[in-house]
Amino acid sequence: MLDTLLTNGTLYDGTGADPVHGDIAIKDGRIVDIGRLAGAEAKRTIDLKGLAVSPGFIDLHTHSDFTLAADGRAQSQVHQGVTTEVIGQCGFSCAPINSAADVAIMAPGFTEGMVDVDWRSFGEYLDHLDKMSLGVNVAAFVGHGTIHRAVLGDALRPADDNELDTMKGLLDESIDGGAYGFSSGLEYWPGSLASPDQMAELVGVAGKRGVLYATHVRNRDLFYDIGFGEAISTARAGGARLQISHIQPKHGAPPYAMQHAINMINEAKSHGVDIAYDVIPHDWSHTRVSAILPQWAQEGGVAAVTARLKDPATRARIKANRKPMWRLVSDGLWHKIVLMQSTVNPDLVGLTFEDIGARRKTDPYDAALDLLVEEGNQMSHLMWTSQSFSEADIRLAISQPDCAIISDTLALAPEGCLKHHIGSLSGYGWAARFLQHYVRDHGVLTLAEGLRRLTVLPAARLGIRDRGILKKGAWADITVFDADQIASHCDVAEPRRFATGIAHVLVNGVFSMLDGARTTDDGGCVLRSH
Ligand SMILES: [Zn+2]
């Protein structure tokens, strides 16, 4: 007797091949047969006439390290068909750490008192996640920034050779503990302190262990070609497979930057360097407000940063920063920058900094720095967003066969302990928006190829062969949706609306969505590389 029989579906196997009509048989969490299975006996049979059936979506780049430890249901993701999340990106992971307090600095979405931080090593962190009821499977990368901080604390300097060796040891140990890859965030502190030759040594550990190296490159505007060039050369020198994260250039890059980056990548690939990349399917960019502070002003933790921001002379030096992370800031384009997340000033969320400045009768730059001070201990989680990606760049990236689609966000829920959190504007709708906007409305890709970017392609980058594909023997991670209806409903004013058009979602054979509604069952588990 089968557990579940899905009948009459339009089956997209995830490889990009044309769909076929047929049935899927599921038992003990796995797909045991695919084809014409009329008459097979199952505890539950569901007719999928008119619906598209895909492998469950794999989100190759998220920052749910802390939020999944707080609420494992991953409601925002499950409602749009995600069955696996890859956390620990851009250099930030929840382990390895020296003390529970370290998580506050290194974990996006951190909130005091929400999680009992009972881990130190990477393996212990995964054990903690394992005890959660998880709505999605989780593959976790270990972050370079977190490893750097575990060795050097808040010191504002690069590692010396001995410290670099300690960092390499921690990376190796984290992979032993189950890390699926290594990530860096070279545009952020403390990633920005590392030199390319140090990164190549660390990347070499990932290469030796056969895990993927994912990087948020050092620069994606004025010096985008140095940023992408560094990623390519460190991966080549370190002998690792490379994933360039959220590749779209930012405001300030020349209009040919995306094509130039693709050319650089293709040239290196033609000589054997294994490179792929991904994009956020949205022209809104988001980041931490604190990322605009010059490096020297970020040293020493919240108390030290607050003291600098309160001292008028030091604040003036901070504002004179000639190269803030966002060139929108140095260009004074405050009407394009919107406050996205604040715990202390939730009434200002959704307003532009031009408006916030006017409301507070102060310069928008000062308003941003004031909000940082007011946010206190949660300073690093004050987030802003701007419509600063080019739609043409995104389409050009998507039209390349190596480009996966990612959220770059946090798994959240509009109720429960995470209800006030927001990770990005597309957090509740990224996969739905990709299938709606780029596939259905604009035809940048066929549906079969679009689904490959959410399934077989990310699985292959991770080295996972039994997920992200509809085939006999694979885990039954399956998303069933209405290809004509799937849609995102998020915008700046209401970023917490669930996507619609998803009918059923199975994770390891367990229904997390049934007939368009979330069940109370969570079928996810932690995936370990070793
Ligand atoms: Zn990033």
Side-chain angles (χ1 to χ4, degrees), residues 154-478:
D154 287 327
L156 191 64
R157 62 174 177 82
D160 65 24
D161 284 352
N162 284 333
E163 288 158 344
L164 187 61
D165 286 341
T166 310
M167 289 172 69
K168 287 161 73 176
L170 277 177
L171 171 54
D172 210 33
E173 190 185 304
S174 300
I175 297 168
D176 284 337
Y180 240 98
F182 174 52
S183 78
S184 67
L186 303 179
E187 197 166 22
Y188 297 110
W189 177 88
S192 52
L193 299 169
S195 63
D197 57 314
Q198 290 186 323
M199 286 314 300
E201 284 205 38
L202 289 157
V203 169
V205 176
K208 207 172 288 166
R209 299 298 302 271
V211 302
L212 188 62
Y213 169 53
T215 181
H216 173 139
V217 304
R218 207 173 292 269
N219 186 280
R220 298 207 311 284
D221 48 55
L222 214 52
F223 303 107
Y224 73 92
D225 33 3
I226 297 179
F228 294 128
E230 176 184 13
I232 294 168
S233 40
T234 48
R236 184 186 61 233
R241 296 183 305 115
L242 172 65
Q243 186 75 22
I244 299 179
S245 300
H246 38 58
I247 193 169
Q248 57 257 66
K250 298 195 288 192
H251 167 83
Y256 59 84
M258 186 73 255
Q259 184 63 57
H260 186 192
I262 292 167
N263 294 349
M264 289 166 73
I265 290 164
N266 287 344
E267 182 65 21
K269 282 184 62 161
S270 76
H271 296 285
V273 190
D274 184 338
I275 309 172
Y277 39 96
D278 43 66
V279 289
I280 306 161
H282 213 298
D283 52 1
W284 284 85
S285 159
H286 64 275
T287 195
R288 303 171 170 207
V289 177
S290 61
I292 53 158
L293 299 178
Q295 230 174 61
W296 59 264
Q298 298 188 38
E299 188 178 9
V302 170
V305 176
T306 302
R308 285 185 199 110
L309 290 172
K310 283 184 169 173
D311 175 61
T314 316
R315 179 183 281 223
R317 273 181 68 208
I318 287 172
K319 285 174 67 182
N321 181 14
R322 294 185 192 183
K323 43 178 182 112
M325 179 179 168
W326 273 6
R327 302 201 76 80
L328 289 171
V329 169
S330 46
D331 291 350
L333 302 175
W334 297 103
H335 61 288
K336 289 194 168 187
I337 305 178
V338 175
L339 181 66
M340 190 174 71
Q341 158 87 338
S342 168
T343 320
V344 178
N345 289 292
D347 54 312
L348 300 179
V349 169
L351 297 181
T352 69
F353 274 82
E354 192 171 79
D355 291 340
I356 294 170
R359 206 184 258 213
R360 293 186 157 206
K361 298 192 176 25
T362 184
D363 166 59
Y365 208 148
D366 281 313
L369 300 179
D370 290 344
L371 292 189
L372 274 175
V373 172
E374 289 164 28
E375 204 69 16
N377 258 337
Q378 312 203 103
M379 179 184 281
S380 60
H381 311 300
L382 191 75
M383 306 277 292
W384 55 13
T385 182
S386 76
Q387 206 161 14
S388 68
F389 290 139
S390 141
E391 177 74 4
D393 285 350
I394 298 171
R395 290 187 191 197
L396 178 57
I398 288 176
S399 61
Q400 309 303 311
D402 301 321
C403 186
I405 311 300
I406 58 158
S407 72
D408 192 21
T409 195
L410 314 175
L412 297 173
E415 33 67 41
C417 66
L418 299 172
K419 67 182 175 195
H420 295 304
H421 282 59
I422 193 73
S424 69
L425 279 186
S426 52
Y428 281 75
W430 68 278
R433 185 176 197 275
F434 169 63
L435 295 172
Q436 169 193 5
H437 182 76
Y438 292 102
V439 173
R440 185 173 69 227
D441 293 349
H442 293 279
V444 180
L445 299 175
T446 63
L447 181 55
E449 179 60 15
L451 292 171
R452 185 180 73 84
R453 308 306 183 82
L454 293 166
T455 60
V456 161
L457 177 62
R461 295 311 291 161
L462 294 167
I464 294 176
R465 290 195 176 77
D466 55 0
R467 296 182 190 275
I469 189 162
L470 296 183
K471 69 173 185 188
K472 212 168 151 174
W475 288 101
D477 293 347
I478 298 172

Side-chain angles (χ1 to χ4, degrees), residues 36-54:
R36 295 286 176 192
L37 308 174
E41 275 193 46
K43 291 178 200 155
R44 177 187 267 152
T45 298
I46 299 184
D47 183 11
L48 305 182
K49 194 168 187 318
L51 296 172
V53 184
S54 166

